[in-house]
Structures are given as structure tokens and as C-alpha cells.
């Protein structure tokens, strides 16, 4: 019954989306504004129904209802409940249902909470949201029904890919999806504003919190995904330039550009057409990502679908929405009037540079990701890997960091080059000190990119704090704090990446229990190896005690885990975190007569990568609270005056 | 400065940036897109020693040998057209085995042995390195793939 109820809820939600689209279309085009009154309740009801469908699927997974095909192929009755729960979206159909649920809830939120937008634009936005949702409902209902039954029902089910059996999986995809789909709101806003010819500062102020929220969630999702890959895959790397990772990076790059241009539009009323364009591009990148991941065109840990008809379906959706939005943009962009002017030396210019650089990075990542697919269409198999991305994206990203250091220290509209130079003198001096120190100490031993990364991180780290200089810290607006912390986070992340690639030390040994290994200043005593059992796995575990410089020994336990359903072995690396780095130990196979392969890494400051990511997201949250609080205060003051 | 001039300058800068990035990407792609080789490609096209590439193929049966240090392995990679010797020091992925597909990252040394720094085997029974699709590989993965549908 639960499965049928879930499916029914999904059909109802799809019908409501159609109704929502029709109401807005006739209401706006025919000038029948009484029709528009029904749009908001319909959008809310649609959101509630998607949530019901999703909860139904969760219930089916938790109850291990093997008569549902999706549950039997992706779950197992002996699995811990957390992974039954997370398994709901650890597969193609479930993740697409999560997608429409997030879209439905986002639409409901726009209907309920959006107050700043002009009414007709608001309604057109909800119409746009319904139009996008409809395509994805169709995809679910016609090509990937999550509630399909199977007869006869199997006893136990096939289980979940053990790599995905990790707490990280429970939270990483939903966060990422909230961000992906959150960008659909920005897309719908852009559509709405183009339709009602309302691209101006007030529109940007209404759109900004939605962009900020989606961007924060994307940032968290990518950061968490990177850390998950780092500790779960056991190869010690944190970014692989895998097409699936790129699929999440590309919307993030576009959203980051959008976030900055929407701020220019909201505060200075410039970059009108460009901002709308970016909103279209950002969600288009989410859809391109979904296409890459879900179409089966690539195989990867993340790609579930192997059915080419689904790929075609998503490709058609993609062409329809992106093409439609670009056509609308081309048709209406002439109606977008020119915004305010600014001088060449101004913060606006720096933000334009920021946008250009982000767009360029987006372009080269997109080219690198799609190039193998294009050549394959002509019969060549190539792969574009880290050497390409590092070489192309690395230098541009570091240039972007420089713009990030200077931008916040410039005034809006016009500034003087000499004054700006004086403001950046201290950060530049600190960068120079870092440069000289590094050149004298490790200069020739590390690569050019890590070297430049460390120098720039030092300069940008200081520059990002400069906007707080000589200010009353308690009175500094929260969104200024947000910017400062997010930019500091970028510097921290870059420092971590550079330190990891410059200074990581690695040791590979075959050792016997009882052996003592010295690696990178650590003493590792391999005490014993023993078999252990978990909920639905068995493992070989190496018990070790590690210490450094005569400090207190700490016990750590790298494992090699064996899962029976499906039969797979996974590596559980042992991580020991210290303030200045991480010790990372992987247990390999038995080499010969009682010797075990061990791979030991000391990774200085590697945790800074994710700490930086968390700071960036925190900055976004502070900016969001700061902007919203200001809005609330205005409202409160307004009420008091009225009273 | 006149507004029109300024827009023109911005548009020009944007154009230059995009063209520059395009050229950069194109030149990097020219160098790096030949990043994936099968043993047959490597033999016919020739890969200079030390150039970082991915080598993909099947691990030849009975070619896997362990060195005495316990962490180095030697094996042969083939695509049916040519076979190259390869060596790897490290922890091989669990699904790395003889008769199965592998993508090795690394470079050829002066003697024509491929020195791998990283081995990508199938992450799990459903995952196959994209470049190896179409090559014949372990039967079990076919079965599971069809069930997975």
C-alpha cells in the first residue's frame, strides 16, 4: 500500500505542477489576476505531495519491502538502518525522486516566504518552477518509477554498494541536491523577470538569498564529498577531476559568479543582463551535471543508470530547458535596460573580473569534461585527466585569488589606483615575505603551482581580513563578516591544497606484526592483525600504536573490510588528525608469509582544505543572516511607525 | 570615460579572456588528451618516456609477479594487439586481478616498462573504467549489470 500511495502522491504532484503552470500562464497572459490567487496554495500542496512520496520511499527502504523492485535491487534486510535510510537516494530512481522533492519543497518555499518580489514576477517565477518540475515528473513517472513492484518478491535483496555504506553518504547527496536544485529557483527567477520585464535592483535583492542558500549547500556538499572520497576510497587524494566531481564543481563555479554579480545588481544596479544570463547558466550546469551522472554516458562510482533511453530523456529535457531559457533570454534581453555606470577603477570592475575568471574556469572544466564524449562520438577514446585540469584551471584559479584579495579593498563606483595600492601594501608585503621565506627554505623542491599557492594563500589570507581593519568589530555588518570569512576560507583551502601537494611524505612497506616503522617523524608499531566482524561485514584489522617525538602513543586501526552482499572489499583507512596535518594509514593485502602491505602518508595541513570549505560555507550563512536580518529590522520599524 | 567606450573595453577584455582561455584549453588538450593509451596505441604512436599517461588494457593471465619487497608487482597489460610490461609499487585495488581490466596511471621508463603510480581497477562489480568499455572483461560484471537494471 505504501508504494501505491507514494506513486499516487507523485501523480497528484505532477498534476498540480501542470495546474500551476496553466494558472500562471493564463493569469499573466490573459490578465486574469483572480486565477493567480490560486497559484501559491497549489505550489505549497505540490511541495507537500512530493514530500509524502519521498517519505513513502524512505518507509519502504526502512521496512525492507522487497516487493518493491528498487528496494530489492539496492538494499538488503541485514543492513544497518542508517544505510537502509541513506540507501533511499543511493540509486538512480531514489535520487531522482529526491531531486523532484527538493524542487517541490523549494517551490513551496518560494510561494510561502518570498515577499520582496513584485507580484507578477513572483507568479511568473512559480510558473517557471512548475514548468521545470513537470519535465522531471515526466522523467520519474515514465522512465524511472521508484515504486515499481517485483513479483515474486526476493527474500533479501542485493544490497547497497559498500563504498556507499558510510555515514558520509547519508548526508552528502542530499546537501548537494539541495544546492543543485536550489539553483532552479534562481533559474525560475530569471525566467520570471524576463517574462515580466523586471530585471533591476529590487529583483536582485529578492533573488540573492535563494542564490546564497543554494550556494552554501553546494559548497558544503562539495566539501563533504571531497572529504568522503579522501577517507573512504583509501588512495589519499581529495580531488580526482572525475567527471562526476566536475559535474558538481561546474554549477558551483557558475553560482559563485552569480552570487557576486547579483550583489552588484542588488547594491549598484549594474550587470543586469549578465546576472540573468548567469542564473540561466548556473542551473543549466546542474542539469548538465545530472545528465552526465545519470545518463549512463559515463561509468563511475556515482553513475547508477545503465539504460540509454534515460540518457536520451534527460538530454531532451536539457535541450528543452536550456534552449528555451536561452531563446527567451535572446528574445527579451533587448528589453533589459542598461543599469548604472561605474568607473574602470572600482569594485564593480573587480567583480566583473571575478566573473570573467570564474566563467573561464567553468569553460575549461566543461571543455575538459565533454571533450572525451565528443571525440568518442567520432570513434576515438581519449581521456582528459588531472594533468589537463591542473595545468589550465590551476593558474586561472590563482589569478582569481589575486582579484579576490584586491576587490573587497576597493570602493564602489570609483576609486583611485594610488589609494588602492596603499590599501593592499600590507597583504602584498606579507605575500612577499612568504615568497622569500619559501624560496630560501624549500624553493626548488616543490612545484611551481604549490609554491605560488602558498605565497598567494598567505597574501590573500591577510588581504581578506583587511576590510575589518580599524573598524568596530561589533558594529561591522554581518554580511561584511560573511565576505571576510568566506574569502579567508578560500585562502585556507588553497594553503591546504598547496601544502598537501608540496610536503606530503609517503612510505610503502610490507611489515610483520611486531615491526616498528619510522615514517615522516612518526614511529608506528604494528602490534597485531586480527579478524573482526561488523553488522554486515567482516574485516581484517591492523592494531597499531603511533607516536611522534616521544609523545604519548595513540592506538589506530586501519581495516580491510569484506562485504558479502554484494561481495566487495573496501579499505578503511586509519586517520590521525593533528593540528599540523594528518597521518593516513592504509592496510593492503598480505604480501607473503605474514607480511602485510602498509601505505603510510603524512599529509601536512591537509585538513585545511575542508576547513576552508567549511569557512566558505559559514561566510555564506553569515551573509544570508545579515541580509535577512536587515530586512526583518526594516519590517519591524515599519510596523512600529504604522502602530 | 564615456559609458559606451567603457562597455566596449569591458567587452574586449571579456573577449580576450575567453579567447585566451580557449587557446590555453586547446593547447593543453593537444598535449594531454592523448592521455589515454592502450598498449597497441602506445606501440604504434610511440609515447616518450616520462610523459604522464593512462594505460588501459587487460592484465595478462599468469603474468603477475610479486617482488621480494612485498609491495612491488610486475604484470603485463594487453589489448590484444600489443603487450607491455608494467610495474607498480603500492597497494593494488582489491578488484585488480589477472584477466581483468585495469587503467594504470604513470609513465614509461627508458626501457619501455610502464611504471604505474596509481591503478584504477573497477571500483566495484558495476564500475568499469570508461576507457575499457567494449573490451572483453570478467563475465560476472555482465551478469550483475543486467540484474542492476
Amino acid at each position: 500500500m505504501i508504494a501505491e500511495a507514494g506513486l499516487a502522491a507523485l501523480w497528484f504532484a505532477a498534476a498540480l505542477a501542470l495546474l500551476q503552470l496553466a494558472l500562471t500562464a493564463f493569469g499573466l497572459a490573459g490578465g486574469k489576476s483572480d486565477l493567480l490567487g490560486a497559484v501559491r496554495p497549489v505550489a505549497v500542496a505540490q511541495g507537500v505531495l512530493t514530500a509524502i512520496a519521498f517519505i513513502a520511499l524512505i518507509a519502504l527502504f526502512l521496512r525492507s519491502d522487497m516487493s518493491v523492485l528498487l528496494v530489492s535491487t539496492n538494499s538488503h534486510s541485514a543492513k544497518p538502518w542508517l544505510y537502509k535510510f541513506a540507501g533511499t537516494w543511493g540509486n538512480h530512481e531514489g535520487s531522482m525522486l529526491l531531486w523532484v522533492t527538493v524542487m517541490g519543497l523549494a517551490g513551496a518555499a518560494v510561494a510561502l516566504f518570498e515577499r520582496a518580489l513584485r507580484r507578477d514576477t513572483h507568479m511568473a517565477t512559480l510558473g517557471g518552477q512548475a514548468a521545470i518540475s513537470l519535465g522531471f515528473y515526466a522523467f520519474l513517472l515514465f522512465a524511472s518509477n521508484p515504486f515499481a513492484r517485483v513479483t515474486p518478491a526476493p527474500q533479501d535483496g542485493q544490497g547497497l554498494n559498500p563504498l556507499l555504506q558510510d555515514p558520509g553518504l547519508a548526508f552528502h547527496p542530499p546537501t548537494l541536491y539541495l544546492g543543485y536544485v536550489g539553483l532552479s529557483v534562481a533559474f525560475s527567477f530569471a525566467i520570471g523577470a524576463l517574462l515580466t520585464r523586471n530585471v533591476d535592483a529590487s529583483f536582485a535583492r529578492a533573488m540573492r538569498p535563494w542564490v546564497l542558500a543554494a550556494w552554501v549547500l553546494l559548497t558544503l556538499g562539495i566539501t563533504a564529498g571531497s572529504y568522503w572520497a579522501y577517507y573512504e576510497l583509501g588512495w589519499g587524494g581529495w580531488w580526482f577531476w572525475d567527471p562526476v566531481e566536475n559535474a558538481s564543481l561546474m554549477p558551483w563555479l557558475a553560482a559563485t559568479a552569480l552570487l557576486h554579480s547579483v550583489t552588484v545588481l542588488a547594491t549598484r544596479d549594474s550587470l543586469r543582463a549578465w546576472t540573468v544570463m548567469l542564473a540561466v547558466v548556473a542551473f543549466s550546469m546542474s542539469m548538465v551535471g545530472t545528465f552526465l551522472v545519470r545518463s549512463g554516458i559515463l561509468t563511475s562510482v556515482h553513475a547508477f543508470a545503465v539504460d540509454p533511453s534515460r540518457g536520451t530523456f534527460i538530454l531532451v529535457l536539457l535541450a528543452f530547458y536550456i534552449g528555451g531559457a536561452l531563446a527567451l533570454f535572446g528574445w527579451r534581453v533587448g528589453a533589459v535596460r542598461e543599469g548604472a555606470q561605474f568607473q574602470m577603477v572600482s569594485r564593480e570592475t573587480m567583480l566583473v573580473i571575478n566573473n570573467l575568471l570564474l566563467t573561464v574556469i567553468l569553460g575549461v572544466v566543461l571543455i575538459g569534461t565533454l571533450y572525451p564524449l565528443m571525440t568518442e562520438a567520432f570513434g576515438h577514446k581519449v581521456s582528459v585527466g588531472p594533468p589537463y585540469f591542473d595545468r589550465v584551471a590551476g593558474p586561472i584559479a590563482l589569478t582569481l585569488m589575486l582579484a579576490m584579495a584586491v576587490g573587497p579593498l576597493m570602493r564602489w563606483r570609483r576609486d583611485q589606483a594610488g589609494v588602492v595600492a596603499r590599501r593592499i601594501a600590507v597583504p602584498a608585503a606579507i605575500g612577499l615575505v612568504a615568497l622569500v621565506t619559501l624560496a630560501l627554505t624549500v624553493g626548488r623542491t616543490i612545484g611551481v603551482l604549490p609554491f605560488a599557492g602558498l605565497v598567494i594563500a598567505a597574501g590573500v589570507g591577510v588581504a581578506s581580513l583587511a576590510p575589518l581593519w580599524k573598524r568596530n568589530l561589533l558594529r561591522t555588518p554581518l554580511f561584511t563578516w560573511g565576505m571576510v570569512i568566506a574569502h579567508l576560507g578560500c585562502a585556507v583551502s588553497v594553503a591546504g591544497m598547496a601544502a598537501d601537494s608540496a610536503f606530503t611524505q609517503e612510505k610503502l612497506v610490507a611489515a610483520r606484526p611486531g615491526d616498528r616503522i619510522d615514517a615522516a617523524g612518526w614511529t608506528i608499531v604494528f602490534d597485531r592483525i586480527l579478524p573482526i566482524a561488523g553488522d554486515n561485514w567482516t574485516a581484517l584489522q591492523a592494531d597499531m600504536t603511533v607516536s611522534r617525538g616521544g609523545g604519548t602513543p595513540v592506538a589506530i586501526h586501519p581495516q580491510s573490510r569484506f562485504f558479502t552482499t554484494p561481495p566487495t572489499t573496501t579499505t578503511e583507512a586509519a586517520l590521525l588528525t593533528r593540528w599540523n596535518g594528518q597521518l593516513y594509514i592504509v592496510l593492503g593485502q598480505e604480501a607473503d608469509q605474514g607480511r602485510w602491505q602498509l601505505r603510510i602518508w603524512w599529509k601536512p595541513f591537509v585538513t585545511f582544505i575542508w576547513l576552508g570549505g567549511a569557512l566558505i560555507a559559514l561566510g555564506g550563512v553569515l551573509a544570508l543572516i545579515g541580509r535577512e536580518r536587515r530586512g526583518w529590522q526594516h519590517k519591524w520599524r515599519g510596523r512600529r511607525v504604522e502602530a | 570615460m564615456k559609458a559606451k567606450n567603457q562597455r566596449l573595453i569591458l567587452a574586449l577584455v571579456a573577449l580576450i579572456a575567453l579567447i585566451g582561455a580557449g587557446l590555453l584549453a586547446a593547447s593543453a588538450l593537444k598535449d594531454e588528451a592523448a592521455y589515454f593509451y592502450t598498449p597497441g596505441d602506445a606501440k604504434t604512436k610511440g609515447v616518450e618516456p616520462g610523459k604522464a599517461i593512462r594505460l588501459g588494457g587487460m592484465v595478462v593471465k599468469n603474468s603477475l609477479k610479486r617482488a621480494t619487497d612485498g609491495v612491488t608487482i610486475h604484470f603485463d597489460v594487453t589489448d590484444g594487439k600489443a603487450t607491455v610490461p608494467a610495474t607498480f609499487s603500492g597497494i593494488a585495488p582489491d578488484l585488480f586481478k589477472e584477466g581483468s581490466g585495469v587503467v594504470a596511471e604513470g609513465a614509461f621508463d627508458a626501457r619501455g616498462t610502464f611504471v604505474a603510480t596509481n591503478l584504477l581497477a573497477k571500483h566495484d562489480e558495476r564500475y568499469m573504467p570508461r576507457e575499457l568499455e567494449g573490451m572483453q572483461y570478467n563475465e560476472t560484471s555482465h551478469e550483475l549489470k543486467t540484474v542492476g537494471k
Side-chain angles (χ1 to χ4, degrees):
Chain A
M1 271 318 285
I2 298 180
E4 283 67 33
L7 188 60
L10 207 54
W11 274 105
F12 273 122
L16 285 182
L18 191 62
L19 177 65
Q20 185 176 327
L21 179 61
L23 283 173
T24 46
F26 289 116
L28 288 171
K32 297 197 176 69
S33 58
D34 43 339
L35 283 181
L36 294 177
V39 171
R40 288 175 55 195
V42 168
V44 174
Q46 188 204 328
V48 171
L49 283 168
T50 53
I52 290 174
F54 191 60
I55 290 169
L57 192 64
I58 293 177
L60 292 170
F61 268 87
L62 286 178
R63 291 159 56 119
S64 295
D65 187 340
M66 294 304 164
S67 69
V68 173
L69 179 65
L70 188 66
V71 180
S72 70
T73 45
N74 289 286
S75 192
H76 191 279
S77 41
K79 213 161 60 163
W81 76 267
L82 179 65
Y83 303 120
K84 287 182 182 169
F85 175 66
T88 313
W89 50 81
N91 56 73
H92 169 78
E93 286 83 355
S95 65
M96 289 319 295
L97 182 60
L98 175 63
W99 175 287
V100 297
T101 304
V102 175
M103 268 204 84
L105 291 175
V110 174
L112 279 176
F113 303 119
E114 182 52 56
R115 291 274 184 269
L117 208 55
R118 236 169 60 181
R119 184 160 183 265
D120 57 343
T121 310
H122 190 190
M123 292 302 129
T125 300
L126 288 172
Q129 192 77 9
I132 307 168
S133 299
L134 267 177
F136 286 93
Y137 283 124
F139 181 54
L140 258 183
L141 292 168
F142 299 129
S144 349
N145 176 11
F147 296 106
R149 296 277 191 182
V150 57
T151 42
Q155 195 71 41
D156 275 331
Q158 294 175 0
L160 170 76
N161 177 353
L163 271 182
L164 304 179
Q165 190 155 324
D166 179 274
L169 179 76
F171 308 105
H172 157 58
T175 321
L176 210 53
Y177 265 37
L178 282 166
Y180 262 21
V181 182
L183 289 175
S184 74
V185 177
F187 184 89
S188 302
F189 265 75
I191 301 288
L194 281 173
L195 285 173
T196 58
R197 299 187 170 84
N198 176 32
V199 183
D200 59 10
S202 71
F203 155 76
R205 279 195 289 272
M207 179 159 90
R208 183 167 48 188
W210 300 97
V211 176
L212 253 174
W215 177 82
V216 164
L217 291 161
L218 263 181
T219 308
L220 283 177
I222 293 173
T223 308
S226 158
Y227 191 63
W228 173 75
Y230 168 80
Y231 77 75
E232 177 64 28
L233 297 181
W235 60 285
W238 52 272
W239 193 262
F240 197 65
W241 294 108
D242 179 272
V244 172
E245 290 172 332
N246 294 348
S248 67
L249 181 65
M250 291 188 291
W252 185 86
L253 290 167
T256 309
L258 175 60
L259 188 63
H260 289 89
S261 82
V262 88
T263 301
V264 177
L265 183 53
T267 46
R268 306 298 321 165
D269 200 15
S270 292
L271 308 183
R272 289 176 164 185
W274 175 244
T275 302
V276 171
M277 182 70 192
L278 275 180
V280 170
V281 167
F283 183 61
S284 299
M285 285 301 137
S286 293
M287 286 197 289
V288 168
T290 319
F291 167 68
L292 289 175
V293 178
R294 294 283 171 262
S295 61
I297 203 165
L298 327 151
T299 5
S300 131
V301 211
H302 302 71
F304 308 119
V306 281
D307 181 355
S309 70
R310 284 177 183 161
T312 318
F313 205 127
I314 302 187
L315 194 60
V316 170
L317 278 185
L318 199 75
F320 182 70
Y321 289 130
I322 300 178
L326 290 179
L328 179 69
F329 182 78
W331 175 42
R332 277 292 167 86
V333 72
V336 176
R337 272 177 302 142
E338 205 175 314
Q341 296 302 312
F342 52 87
Q343 298 284 311
M344 283 307 263
V345 182
S346 66
R347 193 187 282 191
E348 283 94 327
T349 306
M350 292 313 292
L351 285 164
V352 169
I353 291 173
N354 142 312
N355 267 242
L356 276 176
L357 291 171
L358 281 166
T359 317
V360 166
I361 300 176
L362 174 61
V364 298
V365 174
L366 187 67
I367 291 172
T369 311
L370 295 183
Y371 187 75
L373 296 177
M374 292 189 286
T375 58
E376 204 174 320
F378 298 104
H380 289 289
K381 278 197 175 165
V382 298
S383 69
V384 178
Y388 164 82
F389 291 104
D390 289 346
R391 185 174 135 187
V392 183
I396 311 176
L398 289 178
T399 317
L400 178 64
M401 293 289 288
L402 292 177
M404 182 201 281
V406 182
L409 297 174
M410 292 179 100
R411 287 182 206 288
W412 290 109
R413 235 177 65 188
R414 65 157 54 169
D415 208 335
Q416 276 146 351
V419 183
V420 176
R422 236 172 295 147
R423 283 192 216 121
I424 57 170
V426 174
I430 288 177
L432 201 66
V433 170
L435 182 109
V436 173
T437 318
L438 279 174
L440 291 178
T441 50
V442 292
R444 278 164 196 258
T445 57
I446 65 178
V448 178
L449 268 186
F451 185 89
L454 287 170
V455 171
I456 289 175
V460 173
V462 176
S464 64
L465 293 172
L468 297 177
W469 185 246
K470 288 184 183 163
R471 279 182 90 145
N472 179 339
L473 293 185
L474 290 175
R475 293 200 167 192
T476 304
L478 216 46
F479 43 81
T480 306
W481 275 104
M483 176 190 74
V484 166
I485 288 176
H487 285 186
L488 182 66
C490 291
V492 169
S493 245
V494 168
M497 296 169 194
D500 175 49
S501 69
F503 305 122
T504 291
Q505 295 180 56
E506 181 186 352
K507 188 159 195 172
L508 188 66
V509 289
R512 279 191 177 77
D515 281 357
R516 231 183 80 130
I517 305 142
D518 290 303
W522 288 85
T523 305
I524 296 145
V525 180
F526 184 4
D527 297 320
R528 60 186 174 150
I529 195 139
L530 75 167
I532 58 168
D535 287 328
N536 58 342
W537 47 264
T538 54
L540 280 171
Q541 174 171 301
D543 286 353
M544 305 179 165
T545 31
V546 300
S547 56
R548 183 171 62 173
T552 335
V554 185
I556 60 172
H557 317 280
Q559 292 177 351
S560 179
R561 275 191 197 169
F562 184 72
F563 291 81
T564 45
T565 51
T568 314
T569 312
T570 67
T571 303
E572 301 294 311
L575 296 181
L576 185 69
T577 307
R578 288 290 172 263
W579 70 271
N580 59 348
Q582 231 172 16
L583 186 68
Y584 188 122
I585 302 183
V586 177
L587 172 68
Q589 289 141 343
E590 187 167 18
D592 47 41
Q593 324 94 31
R595 286 200 303 172
W596 294 82
Q597 295 180 337
L598 290 175
R599 195 164 192 175
I600 301 154
W601 278 289
W602 169 244
K603 296 178 155 290
F605 299 105
V606 69
T607 44
F608 276 35
I609 297 172
W610 308 288
L611 177 69
L615 282 176
I616 296 170
L618 173 68
V621 171
L622 290 179
L624 190 61
I625 296 174
R627 296 286 180 200
E628 289 296 288
R629 200 176 60 175
R630 187 161 271 203
W632 298 327
Q633 282 167 346
H634 278 301
K635 218 176 285 170
W636 274 100
R637 275 189 212 122
R639 284 209 189 127
R640 252 182 291 163
V641 173
E642 278 164 34
Chain B
M1 198 183 300
K2 284 242 176 71
K4 248 192 190 153
N5 289 341
Q6 191 191 327
R7 289 185 114 193
L8 202 66
I9 292 176
L10 279 180
L12 272 178
V13 170
L15 199 66
I16 292 168
L18 286 176
I19 292 174
L23 289 176
L24 190 66
S27 90
L29 271 182
K30 216 173 91 196
D31 288 359
E32 317 286 0
Y35 178 55
F36 177 77
Y37 290 82
T38 62
D41 294 338
K43 193 147 275 179
T44 51
K45 292 180 204 156
V47 187
E48 60 205 86
K51 179 178 155 60
I53 63 159
R54 276 185 187 166
L55 178 76
M58 318 298 291
V59 182
V60 176
K61 286 214 166 109
N62 302 321
S63 71
L64 188 63
K65 284 178 200 70
R66 239 178 242 288
T68 44
D69 66 357
V71 288
T72 304
I73 49 174
H74 301 275
F75 54 96
D76 293 339
V77 180
T78 186
D79 62 346
K81 294 180 206 121
T83 303
V84 295
T87 160
F88 173 69
S89 290
I91 296 176
D94 301 298
L95 288 156
F96 172 81
K97 50 184 172 243
E98 293 184 341
S100 194
V102 66
V103 173
E105 291 182 334
F108 282 102
D109 68 8
R111 282 176 302 171
T113 301
F114 190 77
V115 183
T117 50
N118 196 11
L119 294 183
L120 318 170
K122 294 181 290 176
H123 276 233
D124 68 73
E125 74 290 336
R126 286 189 215 178
Y127 174 66
M128 185 69 184
R130 200 181 64 81
E131 296 91 344
L132 296 186
E133 269 173 22
M135 277 187 180
Q136 145 276 323
Y137 55 102
N138 262 11
E139 307 74 42
T140 46
S141 45
H142 277 304
E143 279 165 34
L144 278 155
K145 227 177 181 177
T146 32
V147 176
K149 269 185 201 173

